[in-house]
Amino acid sequence: MTTTTPPLSFQDQLDESKITRPMWLLWILSAGLIALDGFDFFIIGVAMPFIQRDFGLSVTQTGAIAVAAVAGALVGSGTLGPVTDKVGRQLMLAIDVGIFIIASAATALAWNATSLIIFRFLVGVGIGADYPISVSYITENVPARFRGRMVISAFSFQAVGALVGAIVGFGIMEIFNHLYPDSIEVTVRYAWRLMLGVGVLFALVIGLLRLLFTIESPMYYLSQGDYEAASDAATQILVRPVEITPETDPPTQEPRLSYKALFSPRYLRRTILASVPWFLQDIATYGMGIFTPTIIAAIAFTEDTHLMVREIAAAKGAAFVDVFLIVGFLLAIAAIGRFGRIELQMVGFVGMAVGLVMLSQAGGELEGGPPNLFLLFGGFIVFNVMMNMGPNSTTFLLSGEVFSTAIRASGAGFSAAFAKAGAVLGTFGLPIVQKALGVSNLLIGLASICILAAVATYLFRVDTVGRLLEDVDTPENLNAPSLTLTDTLVKGQAKNQK
């Protein structure tokens, strides 16, 4: 009696595949989008002193410009994530790049504070859309054994973009300082516009790359019940003929899910895991941004009050700090294949808390006394490294893994939007808390928030390590807890022995 081997599903074939050229291309495209985000969020900080002087900004206007892109990202993630699930990843990617190019060009040409705030908000909308698009594209189109590393390595380009922003800002200031050493007004008027304009050039490069990559996610077509289109897309992704049929990939019982499904009993645990720790992390992360100028000033070791000298020194210091953000991401890429997402996220949050406690004891400019440079530098380095090794990487990754294809971009978009609400809260609310309680108490409070985030991660944990996306969403795994650290190591050893 002969037995017939049933044909493999698309996800089984994908999981057995090596990394193909189209997979690398979509990774590069997604990493480029994330790099744009990092560049834009950083370069506005370098440009802000010149914008303040050029437009004569009030404190309120300065704060509005600083938070406009964050607020836009909140709106973009929350609204364009569901749109991505409806119109597809490919079309939404084209729209996203278009929004970013037009809005970025407009910011460089802004004529007053109001126009700049509006255009910065639109830039943020484009940035917000990047999160659900990028994480959906990668998680749906790479083998499960590479998924964690490829998602995190793409997200690490946020730090690369920030580092490029520091270098670009420093370079433009040096050029203007050399060409117009005796005319600060020329620099004030045009340097910030050139800084923001470089972002447009980077966006155009990503737009051209987008023209080379016209593949829709096969899993998106499957969620729509379009087997012919899914087969064509799978053939391009795997670089060999692939036929997907109802026999290989049976149609789901619910090919379309509404946004409210995120809060149904089926998905609520996952929505909380993907959004609440990220929200708490962004309160701490953006709250720390308040103290970055003080720390950078300590790194730069300058008391010069001249605008150009001070800002060039600050840009150099920022570039130094950003190196540790990249170190954290490199550690995450190395660790994600060995340890679980939940374990890394919890350890990262605890490490962030340790860094914040160190900073709370640093004294110096933070408290009006002589600084303890070991605690000052050490605390900031520990915070940045542990943040990127843990939650800043894993929250993004989990937001793309824990939801089904029909609602993945919606879930990732909601999670990113909820996180940006934390960023807005950190940006606006923490200065008020600082004034009432003092810097040290504020930092201790932020450390407590990080511990709370670690607890929330543990309570709502879901195991996604090494699983096919379709397996993560099976009924028996809907409320499955994460593997323990020991289980993860044993599983990894068993896999290596095979």
Side-chain angles (χ1 to χ4, degrees), residues 21 47 62 73 86 112 119 142 223 244 311 343 358 430 468:
R21 182 176 178 275
T62 300
K86 293 183 182 299
N112 58 25
F119 297 143
V142 299
S223 73
I244 302 177
E311 295 308 318
E343 287 76 18
M358 291 173 65
L430 293 183
L468 302 180

Side-chain angles (χ1 to χ4, degrees), residues 8 14-15 41 50 135-137 168 248 250 270 285 394 452-453:
L8 295 177
L14 177 66
D15 201 41
F41 276 135
F50 302 100
V135 74
S136 296
Y137 242 143
V168 167
T248 62
R270 293 154 183 269
T285 299
T394 54
L452 178 61

Side-chain angles (χ1 to χ4, degrees), residues 22-362:
M23 291 179 194
W24 280 120
L25 190 58
L26 71 86
W27 178 88
I28 293 171
L29 183 57
S30 298
L33 287 172
I34 298 298
L36 279 180
D37 302 347
F39 175 88
D40 182 82
F41 276 135
F42 185 89
I43 200 67
I44 191 65
V46 180
M48 186 62 75
F50 302 100
I51 297 172
Q52 286 176 303
R53 186 158 173 172
D54 190 16
F55 287 156
L57 300 178
S58 66
V59 175
T60 301
Q61 289 173 319
T62 300
I65 291 173
V67 82
V70 179
L74 187 159
V75 173
S77 297
T79 59
L80 298 184
V83 174
T84 301
D85 281 328
K86 293 183 182 299
V87 305
R89 288 73 168 117
Q90 182 184 175
L91 176 58
M92 195 63 241
L93 177 62
I95 295 172
D96 175 43
V97 173
I99 291 173
F100 196 95
I101 291 174
I102 294 171
S104 295
T107 60
L109 301 173
W111 54 90
N112 58 25
T114 301
S115 63
L116 184 57
I117 291 169
I118 293 172
F119 297 143
R120 288 289 303 161
F121 178 84
L122 293 175
V123 167
V125 171
I127 288 174
D130 290 346
Y131 290 96
I133 294 171
S134 298
V135 74
S136 296
Y137 242 143
I138 298 178
T139 55
E140 292 175 358
N141 294 295
V142 299
R145 64 188 185 278
F146 299 121
R147 190 172 64 222
R149 289 179 180 176
M150 292 192 74
V151 170
I152 290 177
S153 61
F155 194 61
S156 71
F157 274 71
Q158 182 187 69
V160 174
L163 180 59
V164 171
I167 295 171
V168 167
F170 166 72
I172 289 175
M173 285 187 287
E174 285 283 19
I175 290 172
F176 274 89
N177 196 38
H178 177 74
L179 295 177
Y180 306 100
D182 301 319
S183 179
I184 189 65
E185 293 306 315
V186 174
T187 303
V188 165
R189 180 166 297 182
Y190 297 108
W192 70 268
R193 296 181 185 275
L194 185 56
M195 290 177 192
L196 299 184
V198 171
V200 182
L201 296 179
F202 289 155
L204 286 172
V205 172
I206 299 301
L208 292 175
L209 181 61
R210 160 67 183 81
L211 296 177
L212 298 176
F213 187 80
T214 58
I215 303 174
E216 180 56 86
S217 170
M219 291 187 66
Y220 167 74
Y221 283 131
L222 283 175
S223 73
Q224 305 299 307
D226 191 341
Y227 285 91
E228 182 177 355
S231 298
D232 291 339
T235 296
Q236 295 181 67
I237 288 289
L238 298 179
V239 196
R240 58 181 174 78
V242 177
E243 183 179 3
I244 302 177
T245 67
E247 288 70 35
T248 62
D249 294 79
T252 61
Q253 297 298 314
E254 44 183 10
R256 295 181 183 275
L257 293 173
S258 65
Y259 198 73
K260 66 181 181 181
L262 292 173
F263 312 102
S264 67
R266 177 176 182 179
Y267 285 108
L268 183 58
R269 179 192 186 101
R270 293 154 183 269
T271 301
I272 292 174
L273 172 66
S275 59
V276 172
W278 200 352
F279 168 85
L280 295 172
Q281 178 217 316
D282 271 10
I283 293 177
T285 299
Y286 283 80
M288 274 297 292
I290 297 171
F291 307 105
T292 299
T294 300
I295 297 171
I296 289 178
I299 294 173
F301 294 106
T302 178
E303 297 179 355
D304 202 308
T305 58
H306 188 275
L307 178 66
M308 287 300 292
V309 174
R310 186 176 67 249
E311 295 308 318
I312 288 174
K316 289 180 179 178
F320 172 76
V321 167
D322 284 341
V323 169
F324 295 101
L325 295 175
I326 296 174
V327 169
F329 277 127
L330 291 176
L331 290 175
I333 294 169
I336 196 65
R338 182 171 179 79
F339 303 105
R341 286 81 159 119
I342 301 301
E343 287 76 18
L344 278 182
Q345 186 157 303
M346 292 173 61
V347 170
F349 274 128
V350 172
M352 290 169 65
V354 171
L356 288 165
V357 171
M358 291 173 65
L359 281 170
S360 73
Q361 305 301 310

